[in-house]
Amino acid sequence: MAAEPVWSVDPRTGKPREQVAVEATAEEVDRAVRSAHAAREALADRAARAAFLRTAADLLDASGGHVVEAADAETALGPVRLTGELARTTAQLRAFAEVVEDGSFLDVRIDLPDPAATPPRPDLRRWKIPLGVVAVYAASNFPLAFSVPGGDTASALAAGCPVVVKAHPDHPATSELCASLLRRAAVKAGLPEDVVVLVHGFDAGVGLVRHPLVAAAGFTGSIRGGRALFDAAAARPAPIPFHGELGSLNPVVVTEAAAAERAGEIGAGLAGSLTLGAGQFCTKPGFVLAPRGEDGDRFLAALTAAVSETEPAVMLDRRMRDAFVAGVAERAALAGVDTPVTPGAGGAHTVSAGVLAVDAAALHGEGHRLLLEECFGPVTVVARYSTREEVTAVLGLLPGNLTATLHIGEEDEAAASLLAALTPLAGRVLVNGWPTGVAVAPAQHHGGPYPATTSTSTSVGATAIERWLRPVTYQSTPGHLLPPELRDGNPLGVPRR
């Protein structure tokens, strides 16, 4: 059977641009994993890993014009957005180089022997080691920061794990370009180029998660696709960790006090957040609880005005555009749902942003639970409430989320109780802000209860490295046999307890 071609497609026209590659066969996936597996020992050198990550960042920056041009041609996200995403991506690579050099991620703990303890304690020395080959599934909506050179790849390499990336079909040319830069960086740092390998194709993605030498996986995408891979990872003879980001509604609660103080500001801010990148951010605020009454009306009017001024936008591909148009039409057709701004098709290849409004009480009806599911694209649902009890009841219906946002007034008696109610729903809780935009920082957490993610880990920030490590303790082991990080005298100067 002939290999299926992989085409780069222009989302602005729907027309193929060029054939980039062919889909990987089962034999090619096997070779890719085995070549990555063979490169793992070279990654044991922490100094080489840090140099590799910095060199990769430098090469991406040096080729920035070509990278942004390629990504824009395949995603229509625009050079301004993509230039910022590239800067985020290279900063992330450099940040993980610092993590590698610091050594805290090894979590070294040493208990010296104590024969007088009950029971007697032997010499125990614990640290963390890399799991092995990591399969990374690139995201559609971030062709750089959550794809080939993105956070899953950077954190896995920082942990000492080779990576096999399954390219996203929406940006195969960008994936090939970025992979070639990472492989060049590896060689410049004295590492095998196969510490990063790229494959294409749906079947290749399924084969990856089932390959016996793949030790863990990182995924960003849909609930349907992510859950299928998660189940496959769990069904293996030797199950592996699957760190998937699947979907998020990202609820917002606007208190009565907040609406009274700054209804217009909140409405305009929400409009900017939900339409950013054509509403294709994983942290888009897709559901809002706002008060009834004059202040809530002013908030909705400001939101309506701002969203109405938004120009039609191109989505990442035709499939996503069609799913958005069908999804908003199905939601708008529900009884009691108003459309202050009607979302839907904006043209042959574009969509128009919109706002749906509903009474909070209606959400308890079985058919209206659809409004509590993510609709990927530029739309949000505003549910109007009268009492605090209504807010609490609706929050009890929500699934897990990446974020939850609370807008409060200066002296708001509802703040503490609502913050407590939102905290179990999300991995990041914001007050008087907007969730789009995820800072790359040590204290960041980008994850949340299912279906936001399939694990309790983060995919952004320094602690993302923990996903690709496991602890090992050496007991009563002669010093010359220990890794240098665990030896007496701490010759490498790593942080230790």
Side-chain angles (χ1 to χ4, degrees), residues 252 262 266 269-270 273 285 404-408 430-436:
V252 178
R262 54 184 203 288
I266 296 172
L270 174 60
S273 186
T405 300
L406 178 62
H407 278 271
I408 60 175
L430 301 86
V431 177
N432 292 348
W434 298 108
T436 38

Side-chain angles (χ1 to χ4, degrees), residues 158-405:
C161 296
V163 172
V164 180
V165 184
K166 204 289 284 185
H168 196 280
D170 279 354
H171 38 79
T174 308
S175 298
E176 285 284 344
L177 175 57
C178 290
S180 70
L181 293 170
L182 292 183
R183 287 165 66 84
R184 279 176 50 199
V187 173
K188 290 187 71 172
L191 296 171
E193 64 179 2
D194 285 342
V195 294
V196 177
V197 186
L198 183 71
V199 296
H200 297 266
F202 176 84
D203 290 342
V206 176
L208 260 185
V209 81
R210 292 174 174 166
H211 197 287
L213 292 182
V214 168
F219 172 90
T220 303
S222 69
I223 293 177
R224 181 181 178 184
R227 184 55 194 255
L229 291 171
F230 174 79
D231 291 345
R236 290 168 40 132
I240 59 171
F242 183 88
H243 300 283
E245 179 189 321
L246 310 188
S248 185
L249 193 61
N250 304 304
V252 178
V253 176
V254 180
T255 68
E256 294 171 325
E261 291 177 14
R262 54 184 203 288
E265 176 188 333
I266 296 172
L270 174 60
S273 186
L274 78 92
T275 59
L276 188 64
Q280 297 172 116
F281 276 53
C282 51
T283 52
K284 180 205 74 175
F287 179 77
V288 184
L289 280 159
R292 295 192 187 93
E294 292 184 3
D295 295 328
D297 290 344
R298 289 193 298 114
F299 155 76
L300 187 57
L303 172 63
T304 299
V307 172
S308 297
E309 295 174 358
T310 305
E311 294 293 325
V314 177
M315 294 190 70
L316 293 162
D317 63 32
R318 183 78 188 191
R319 177 183 56 82
M320 292 182 191
R321 176 191 177 276
D322 292 347
F324 173 77
V325 172
V328 294
E330 185 179 5
R331 287 163 173 78
L334 294 171
V337 174
D338 296 324
T339 53
V341 186
T342 302
H349 301 285
T350 60
V351 296
S352 295
V355 178
L356 306 178
V358 68
D359 190 289
L363 296 171
H364 297 277
E366 192 64 34
H368 286 68
R369 297 294 176 87
L370 180 63
L371 298 172
L372 303 180
E373 297 177 10
E374 180 185 19
C375 185
F376 193 70
V379 66
T380 197
V381 174
V382 178
R384 306 292 295 273
Y385 69 87
S386 295
T387 66
R388 193 71 42 77
E389 289 73 22
E390 279 189 288
V391 173
T392 303
V394 171
L395 293 180
L397 301 174
L398 298 184
N401 294 272
L402 294 171
T403 73
T405 300

Side-chain angles (χ1 to χ4, degrees), residues 36-49:
H37 183 73
R40 71 194 188 285
E41 290 186 11
L43 277 175
D45 185 336
R46 286 196 294 125
R49 294 207 307 263

Side-chain angles (χ1 to χ4, degrees), residues 33-61:
V33 174
R34 292 186 182 281
S35 63
H37 183 73
R40 71 194 188 285
E41 290 186 11
L43 277 175
D45 185 336
R46 286 196 294 125
R49 294 207 307 263
F52 167 37
L53 292 168
R54 288 199 177 93
T55 303
D58 291 344
L59 290 181
L60 283 163
D61 280 339

